[in-house]
Amino acid sequence: MVNLETFSDAVLQFQAIAQEKAVDRFQEAALDSLQKVLPFDRAWWGIMSARGESFDLHCSLPFGLADTWLPMWEELKRDDAVAQAVRSTPRQTAHFDASQLSAVAGLRTLTREHDIGEALCTSIYLPSDRSFVFLSLYRSFRSPAFAPVERELNQYLMPHLCASWTANRQFQMECMKASAAQDGIALALVDRHGQVLNAESGFVERMRIEWPAGSNDVLPARVAEWFRSGEEVLKLGTIVLHRYPLGELALIAVRARTAADSLSGRERQIARAFSRGESYKEIARTMEISPATVRHHLRAVYLKLEVGDKAEMTSLLHASDFFLESEELLHRYRSLQHKPFF
């Protein structure tokens, strides 16, 4: 029988970690905590979806597993009887001993190569019902077998672990928004397949303007294509998006498009320097162009922005500067992790 005090302490610890840890550090910290009440040697925690007789991995954390784990799994995933089993029995922790893990050739190769003699595996479907969170806890061939009470504890803890992961993403999105120090943006966290895991209402509203018939939980095809390309910025008809990698996930920020978004990279660079008070000669020297070229670009900027003076230009530039460089945003975000939350 599960010890209620142990269960309660574990749940409280998950909730504390959800507020304390950055998005890309939560899973590792939560598994460290789980390992203290339910010992295991290795683990694998992530999100996947079924595709025919195989699976697509959306994001994952191999915990204590060798770097060979993921590429080998990708080659052998059609033989992953564990994934097949937990896919069809969500919220039930399945136990696999060495003989069951060796029943299929591909799974036998994968587990023996990584010294996995036993597993506890659980899945919980996401609201979209197209993909599911999975957690596999492994013990090596030399470790004691999982006891029935440990399987039961894992099954009871899994919903709380998933809820804490969701709460972590929601809470940390607010921290990241504070890091950007801008109110005109809306945020979402997505996995590598463009599935939206968490999103502010403003994100959905802005995306609806561009795609009235779009889905709330999957990025539109055009945005998903941009997301997979690795490019940081996407300018569309009415909105602009910026992506910030966060481990296996990514933060997407969206804001309304402004007149300043029509400027070229060089025009924006010159306009920013001029708005900071640099002279034509100083800008020319920095960019290794002539003062006349600087003047030509500024004239084009004024025309595109439909402004008549420097103050108006500076105001419009500021309105379009919602996005920080990735390193700057993440630096500010990380600094928040060292401050207490109340």
Side-chain angles (χ1 to χ4, degrees):
M1 181 177 177
V2 172
N3 184 295
L4 292 181
E5 184 176 0
T6 299
F7 173 80
S8 177
D9 288 346
V11 171
L12 289 173
Q13 186 62 25
F14 294 156
Q15 293 172 351
I17 293 171
Q19 292 197 9
E20 294 169 0
K21 295 298 180 180
V23 168
D24 52 342
R25 296 175 182 173
F26 169 79
Q27 287 175 279
E28 185 172 4
L31 288 174
D32 278 333
S33 177
L34 178 62
Q35 200 170 34
K36 294 174 183 176
V37 298
L38 203 174
F40 54 87
D41 298 315
R42 300 166 191 83
W44 192 28
W45 182 10
I47 298 173
M48 67 172 64
S49 59
R51 183 159 60 93
E53 297 181 357
S54 187
F55 296 92
D56 287 329
L57 187 62
H58 291 228
C59 64
S60 76
L61 174 71
F63 184 86
L65 290 162
D67 293 341
T68 53
W69 173 265
L70 285 179
M72 186 176 290
W73 180 84
E74 287 288 352
E75 290 182 11
L76 304 173
K77 60 186 179 182
R78 286 182 175 273
D79 285 346
D80 191 347
V82 172
Q84 294 286 0
V86 299
R87 167 196 175 189
S88 59
T89 56
R91 293 181 175 269
Q92 300 295 314
T93 294
H95 174 251
F96 299 85
D97 60 23
S99 62
Q100 292 168 308
L101 294 175
S102 299
V104 182
L107 187 59
R108 179 171 62 249
T109 300
L110 181 67
T111 53
R112 289 186 177 180
E113 180 72 21
H114 296 87
D115 188 25
I116 294 172
E118 194 179 11
L120 292 179
C121 308
T122 321
S123 71
I124 292 184
Y125 273 85
L126 295 174
S128 66
D129 284 334
R130 284 191 287 265
S131 54
F132 56 88
V133 179
F134 67 90
L135 174 62
S136 296
L137 306 180
Y138 305 124
R139 283 184 180 170
S140 69
F141 289 98
R142 298 175 300 280
S143 296
F146 283 113
V149 70
E150 292 178 312
R151 184 202 65 78
E152 188 178 21
L153 176 61
N154 185 65
Q155 181 168 303
Y156 290 156
L157 284 175
M158 182 64 174
H160 297 278
L161 197 58
C162 290
S164 296
W165 192 17
T166 299
N168 168 259
R169 296 192 301 264
Q170 292 171 335
F171 184 82
Q172 300 303 333
M173 276 203 308
E174 291 301 315
C175 291
M176 285 182 273
K177 193 162 186 177
S179 302
Q182 295 287 352
D183 294 326
I185 64 173
L187 305 176
L189 278 166
V190 302
D191 63 31
R192 70 174 74 164
H193 281 256
Q195 178 174 239
V196 179
L197 301 178
N198 297 79
E200 296 180 320
S201 59
F203 183 90
V204 176
E205 291 167 3
R206 285 170 172 79
M207 298 296 281
R208 287 285 189 196
I209 294 173
E210 196 78 26
W211 287 279
S215 168
N216 289 354
D217 52 31
V218 179
L219 294 177
R222 174 69 184 90
V223 179
E225 180 184 353
W226 157 74
F227 183 72
R228 289 190 295 269
S229 74
E231 296 179 3
E232 286 195 356
V233 180
L234 175 65
K235 297 179 180 180
L236 298 169
T238 60
I239 57 176
V240 178
L241 299 99
H242 199 295
R243 69 192 297 269
Y244 301 94
L246 285 170
E248 287 280 300
L249 305 178
L251 174 75
I252 294 185
V254 61
R255 63 164 170 81
R257 183 162 181 154
T258 70
D261 291 310
S262 65
L263 301 180
S264 68
R266 170 157 285 199
E267 288 170 343
R268 180 177 286 271
Q269 186 179 1
I270 290 173
R272 282 175 171 167
F274 188 59
S275 69
R276 289 194 299 266
E278 294 183 31
S279 67
Y280 288 1
K281 289 184 178 181
E282 289 172 328
I283 298 171
R285 189 181 308 113
T286 300
M287 299 186 65
E288 299 181 345
I289 56 179
S290 70
T293 302
V294 173
R295 187 178 295 106
H296 169 77
H297 281 301
L298 282 174
R299 189 179 301 117
V301 169
Y302 276 45
L303 287 172
K304 287 183 178 181
L305 299 184
E306 299 181 349
V307 297
D309 58 43
K310 181 178 177 180
E312 288 182 285
M313 179 195 72
T314 302
S315 177
L316 284 178
L317 285 174
H318 178 71
S320 69
D321 284 343
F322 288 132
F323 300 133
L324 300 170
E325 294 299 323
S326 295
E327 289 302 319
E328 184 180 353
L329 177 104
L330 294 180
H331 172 73
R332 291 191 187 182
Y333 172 47
R334 296 284 184 235
S335 70
L336 291 177
Q337 305 310 312
H338 299 97
K339 298 177 182 179
F341 297 101
F342 298 100

